[in-house]
Amino acid sequence: TQLLEQSPQFLSIQEGENLTVYCNSSSVFSSLQWYRQEPGEGPVLLVTVVTGGEVKKLKRLTFQFGDARKDSSLHITAAQPGDTGLYLCALQRGYGQNFVFGPGTRLSVLP
Amino acid sequence: DTGVSQNPRHKITKRGQNVTFRCDPISEHNRLYWYRQTLGQGPEFLTYFQNEAQLEKSRLLSDRFSAERPKGSFSTLEIQRTEQGDSAMYLCASSLAIILQGSDTQYFGPGTRLTVL
């Protein structure tokens, strides 16, 4: 059973378009992290969210943590080819526990 | 460069051979994690250390896998009698876990890509 689901699995858009990707869990978790990973490299942390309803912005990226702390979304405004990559969410169920990753959303932004 | 480093970056081996990977975490990070990632999937947790103590090991991890962090700094992951199904990217991450912080932030290395022929 997949603890974390991410949708869509694949997304291909044109430069300048907006997009939203989602991360959903059947369980409540204490914190959630979003990463971007490029081929042949390790994931790079984008943001950590810990409070239900929290919204964080990182330039053109907006991250939202659901009120019930079971879901999260990542919205990218005016996507650029440099945004291309695998977007992963990871949850930590409690302090001191391991992290569980979702399967990722593979984004391709075409020039 | 003070990030997480992993060696080797690539390893090709024949089935049945033993392999060992090394991870050097960010200095003073007390936690070190190992993950395995196959094509098209997210990283899968294998094990993690707090200082030199191995606190958790995935039930998916067979007894052919062993990890150590002898002095609470670098770590090694050994796979004995490799199988073709072991082919994957092996990722290491480190973090500084602070109790009052409630969560810790992982920083990943570039990974070691293992190919078992």
Side-chain angles (χ1 to χ4, degrees), chain A residues 7-8 10 25 51 61 71 107 109:
Chain A
S7 60
F10 299 97
S25 171
T51 305
L61 278 59
D71 58 273
L107 172 66
V109 182

Side-chain angles (χ1 to χ4, degrees), chain A residues 9 30-31 33 35 37 40-45 48 50 86 88 90 92 94-99 101-104 106, chain B residues 9 31 33 35 37 40-43 45 48 50 56 89 91 97-99 102-111 113:
Chain A
Q9 187 177 0
S30 65
S31 69
Q33 299 175 346
Y35 295 82
Q37 184 178 25
E41 299 295 329
V44 175
L45 179 71
T48 299
V50 297
L86 179 67
L88 295 159
Q92 189 177 30
Y95 176 77
Q97 299 195 24
N98 69 59
F99 289 84
F101 279 82
R106 188 164 298 280
Chain B
R9 291 294 307 273
R31 285 207 181 150
Y33 298 80
Y35 293 88
Q37 186 177 27
Q41 299 296 319
F45 169 78
Y48 90 93
Q50 174 130 347
E56 189 170 348
M89 173 78 90
L91 293 164
I98 302 171
I99 293 176
S103 68
D104 52 311
T105 298
Q106 299 179 92
Y107 297 88
F108 281 84
R113 180 163 296 284

Side-chain angles (χ1 to χ4, degrees), chain A residues 56-107:
Chain A
K56 283 192 174 179
K57 291 192 175 183
L58 183 65
K59 297 184 180 178
R60 294 177 294 101
L61 278 59
T62 301
F63 304 86
Q64 185 157 9
F65 198 11
D67 291 339
R69 292 163 59 194
K70 296 173 68 174
D71 58 273
S72 181
S73 64
L74 160 58
H75 181 79
I76 302 179
T77 304
Q80 299 177 359
D83 296 327
T84 294
L86 179 67
Y87 287 82
L88 295 159
C89 64
L91 67 82
Q92 189 177 30
R93 280 172 286 187
Y95 176 77
Q97 299 195 24
N98 69 59
F99 289 84
V100 176
F101 279 82
T105 292
R106 188 164 298 280
L107 172 66

